[in-house]
């Protein structure tokens, strides 16, 4: 499925190797002069004049450019990589993998990425047949690599429930919570064109990292989507992991952290999502579990809302389907108690009614602190509700 | 320690038997004409004229008094109990128990109760030597009766931690979380005049309810405080439990729910506290535990803040002592990672440095996406930080 790549897209492919993710000077340069000329400037085939610099620094809101030459610093930063540029080779690798380059010119380009503004990626390297779904259909489920059995079980329930509700589960392809989320989503079957799960990687989409997840990542490439902003062959670095997290957050309509330690990359994803105004959920857990400390931190500082199941997450994500969500579903599922809905005087009468013996209206009036007339009215209503019965000696309580 | 009781206080004692808790008409009447005359009106020794009714209805904001005669309804409600009134006997019982009647005229009267406005109790029946502490020293720890071992363990930690921090632990004397909270606070010793724990009861302070907690309640009467707004001999009713919860919430500077089912009396206490503008905490737990569902409900709907230990609760309660609280304490206790505080370029260099081999500045520039100058600057800083070392072949990483 090799499709012709435009010059602009080929330049974007090249720049995605030249620039580290979120290199704002590089991204800004591409925004100002276009990818093709940005690449020529980076290659020193063209020189950026005063006007371009002014527009670039204005775009980046760099008011201190008098003292620092940010563009020159960028050129120096990119220079060591210029010799290795071979976008045709990268695109051929992509093609061989059955993948495609998705750029802002593509119909498939996720508009949600524009919320990243000057940090929006230049392009996405994508493997997998389905199109990237709209963010209203993407729910990120993330967490720490050293998950507990509790985290694994909650993740499986969440991911399966989200699949059932018509969401595609986004995660980072790592061990632990990520892998559990991908697996449970894959097991929940596919819904027409929607990928069951999407893995956003910090390395190239031809690399299976971590190695233990190779089989899983291959299945995702087959049935779901593998996405990265760095070209094939790129290795995962800490910086790329951190920046990858912003893509997970931006692509997804909601982000849920299932388990995270006090310091965890999953918190970084949560903060990216919150910064973008996306809803964030955190799953509570034992206060004795270090693996839930990060979730509790997010709950305490107000970054995240407490979510306990897929219905809660769907409620957080906003309206999509017709499933009853969150608290409303739980309220409906909780059996009402017999006294629910009773007026206060009736409750007082009910409280005063003995179960094993009978009592009189006068005694009830003293016990309940009500007038005889109120007691009689209350007894009549309780009788109708099947909660009180008349006896030869007066009244006694019936258990509903 | 029988102290003379004023006529007004004796009238309050009598009215506390005549009126159910939060009988706003009765409480309003006492506010308008004073306890002594309110008692005489209730006993039909006096009749409330138009002016008194007008003032009462105005106070109670009862605009529909044209259609209903609220005062007459009150008189009818109180009438069945008038014959049984014997405040001297109740006060004698109190005296025999070594207790005291605390009224708005007492120096010990908790000003915090005034936040209940028209639902403030008439008086408190109190057993125990220490004075009722200021609300800034009182932390309520409440939860369900059918607590789990998790709830018991968290409650014990919380109560002990709060004691250590100079709080007196308030709870309701019930089985489960309440009893655990009282016990742990008692075990943590006393701090001068502060009662280790305060039990606010729905029955008279001479009743040990539930029976299984008799021993515990006796110890609290001895070393802490037993408080009730209903007179000796009163039995606990559902209504009194609900109203007792408002006293726990009002007396305490902070209220924490440790475990609660989806429907639980502890949620009622939490809502009372929130309604009074008092901070409320909820302890997270397993999403699989029905005993935490009520806590998660409070977290979800924003009534409560997530608290995981006594430091969190103290932080929520506001400044009292000099203990480091909540997240700040946890942040300080979490060891920093070696890369914390590194600037981005230095982080990129660190990421690119091999541990087992050496590399060159030029290769690092390609890997890190930085200029050779930036790499050299970064290496210098990493060397100073003990994270990089020079080798004959170039540079390699040092594990901190």
């Amino acid at each position: 499925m090799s499709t012709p790549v435009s010059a602009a897209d080929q330049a974007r492919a090249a720049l995605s190797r030249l620039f580290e993710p979120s290199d704002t000077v590089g991204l800004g340069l591409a925004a100002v002069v276009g990818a093709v000329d940005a690449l020529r400037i980076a290659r020193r085939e063209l020189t950026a004049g005063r006007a371009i610099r002014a527009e670039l620094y204005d775009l980046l809101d760099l008011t201190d450019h008098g003292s620092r030459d940010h563009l020159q610093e960028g050129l120096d930063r990119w220079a060591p990589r210029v010799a290795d540029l071979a976008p045709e080779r990268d695109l051929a690798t992509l093609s061989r993998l059955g993948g495609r380059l998705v750029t802002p010119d593509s119909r498939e380009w996720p508009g949600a990425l524009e919320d990243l503004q000057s940090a929006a990626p230049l392009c996405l390297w994508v493997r997998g047949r389905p199109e990237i779904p709209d963010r209203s259909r993407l729910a990120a489920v993330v967490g720490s690599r050293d998950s507990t059995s509790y985290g694994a079980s909650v993740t499986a329930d969440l991911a399966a429930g989200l699949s059932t509700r018509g969401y595609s589960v986004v995660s980072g392809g790592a061990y632990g919570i990520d892998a559990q989320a991908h697996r449970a989503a894959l097991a929940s079957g596919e819904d027409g064109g929607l990928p069951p799960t999407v893995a956003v990687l910090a390395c190239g989409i031809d690399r299976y990292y971590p190695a233990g997840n190779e089989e899983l990542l291959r299945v995702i490439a087959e049935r779901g989507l593998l996405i990265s902003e760095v070209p094939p062959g790129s290795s995962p670095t800490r910086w790329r992991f951190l920046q990858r997290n912003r893509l997970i957050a931006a692509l997804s309509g909601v982000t849920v952290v299932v388990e995270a330690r006090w310091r965890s990359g999953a918190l970084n994803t949560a903060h990216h999502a919150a910064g973008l105004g996306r809803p964030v959920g955190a799953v509570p857990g034992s206060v004795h579990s270090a693996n839930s400390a990060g979730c509790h931190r997010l709950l305490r500082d107000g970054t995240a809302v407490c979510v306990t199941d897929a219905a809660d997450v769907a409620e957080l994500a906003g309206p999509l389907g017709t499933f009853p969500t969150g608290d409303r579903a739980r309220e409906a599922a909780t059996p009402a108690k017999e006294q629910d809905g009773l007026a206060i005087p009736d409750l007082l009468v009910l409280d005063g009614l003995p179960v094993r013996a009978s009592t009189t209206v006068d005694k009830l009036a003293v016990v309940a602190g009500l007038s005889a007339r109120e007691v009689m009215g209350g007894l009549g209503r309780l009788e109708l509700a099947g909660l009180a019965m008349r006896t030869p000696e007066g009244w006694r309580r019936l258990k509903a």
Side-chain angles (χ1 to χ4, degrees), chain A:
Chain A
M1 51 180 271
S2 171
T3 43
V5 173
S6 71
D9 282 0
Q10 182 158 335
R12 286 177 177 275
L15 292 175
S16 78
R17 183 173 291 283
L18 217 48
F19 303 158
E20 280 297 312
S22 295
D23 182 326
T24 48
V25 174
L27 294 170
L29 184 65
V32 169
V33 302
V36 172
D37 281 353
L39 182 59
R40 295 178 70 193
I41 291 170
R43 280 182 155 147
R44 319 252 171 158
E45 297 166 9
L46 279 182
T47 305
R50 286 179 59 98
I52 288 174
R53 280 172 193 263
E55 197 177 337
L56 174 62
Y57 292 168
D58 196 47
L59 179 76
L60 299 179
D61 212 12
L62 290 172
T63 47
D64 65 337
H65 64 269
S67 56
R68 280 180 63 185
D69 188 345
H70 289 93
L71 181 56
Q72 189 57 50
E73 290 176 14
L75 291 167
D76 293 345
R77 195 159 60 227
W78 309 323
R81 286 181 176 169
V82 165
D84 295 336
L85 278 186
E88 311 81 4
R89 182 200 59 202
D90 290 337
L91 289 165
T93 304
L94 180 69
S95 186
R96 188 164 41 72
L97 293 165
R100 62 191 179 276
L101 191 73
V102 174
T103 73
D105 294 335
S106 315
R107 203 180 46 76
E108 192 187 347
W109 181 252
L113 292 178
E114 299 305 328
D115 291 349
L116 289 168
Q117 301 182 327
S118 66
L122 283 159
C123 59
L124 297 178
W125 302 79
V126 179
R127 280 177 74 180
R129 243 174 329 216
E131 284 205 356
I132 303 172
D134 183 76
R135 83 161 205 247
S136 64
R137 291 252 158 184
L138 291 173
V141 176
V142 299
S144 44
R145 290 184 293 274
D146 63 336
S147 59
T148 66
S149 61
Y150 171 71
S153 136
V154 174
T155 303
D157 288 348
L158 270 186
L162 287 168
S163 286
T164 308
R165 283 175 166 75
Y167 289 92
S168 191
V169 172
V170 182
S171 199
Y175 291 137
I177 301 297
D178 286 21
Q180 284 286 344
H182 290 307
R183 284 204 181 91
L186 286 167
S188 298
E190 279 129 298
D191 162 26
L194 202 71
T197 193
V198 178
V200 186
L201 306 181
C203 56
I205 51 172
D206 58 335
R207 307 254 325 225
Y208 303 105
Y209 181 91
N213 281 351
E214 171 165 351
E215 191 52 38
L216 171 64
L217 292 167
R218 284 189 187 277
V219 174
I220 297 174
E222 192 66 33
R223 294 179 44 209
L225 288 172
L226 290 186
I227 296 179
S228 178
E229 67 177 310
V230 294
S234 303
S235 51
T237 62
R238 195 149 24 200
W239 176 253
R240 289 174 186 163
F241 276 115
L242 291 171
Q243 294 308 315
R244 182 276 312 269
N245 293 341
R246 93 190 190 289
L247 294 188
I248 291 179
L251 286 168
S252 309
V254 61
T255 293
V256 179
V257 183
V258 181
E259 276 193 325
R261 290 177 168 266
W262 184 251
R263 290 182 184 177
S264 158
L267 303 188
N268 175 255
T269 311
H271 286 123
H272 273 302
L276 291 166
R278 306 270 199 272
V280 179
V283 174
S286 166
V287 301
H288 300 137
S289 168
N291 283 284
S292 287
C295 290
H296 298 153
R297 182 182 195 175
L298 292 173
L299 291 175
R300 265 179 75 67
D301 69 17
T303 304
V305 171
C306 177
V307 292
T308 61
D309 58 19
D312 282 351
V313 178
E315 182 173 297
L316 198 58
L320 176 65
T322 53
F323 292 90
T325 54
D327 287 358
R328 211 158 25 144
R330 210 148 22 226
E331 184 70 31
T334 308
K337 288 192 185 164
E338 55 182 29
Q339 70 272 19
D340 282 355
L342 287 187
I344 289 171
D346 297 1
L347 189 68
L348 292 171
V349 173
L350 185 68
D351 272 354
L353 267 183
V355 177
R356 290 169 208 284
S358 291
T359 189
T360 64
V361 169
D362 286 352
K363 283 186 192 154
L364 270 175
V366 174
V367 168
L370 295 170
S371 67
R373 197 157 58 89
E374 283 175 307
V375 169
M376 285 186 285
L379 285 170
R381 285 185 291 272
L382 292 174
E383 188 180 24
L384 278 175
L387 295 170
M389 71 174 283
R390 285 171 212 267
T391 65
E393 298 78 30
W395 290 84
R396 73 178 189 79
R397 183 165 177 183
L398 273 180
K399 285 282 182 190

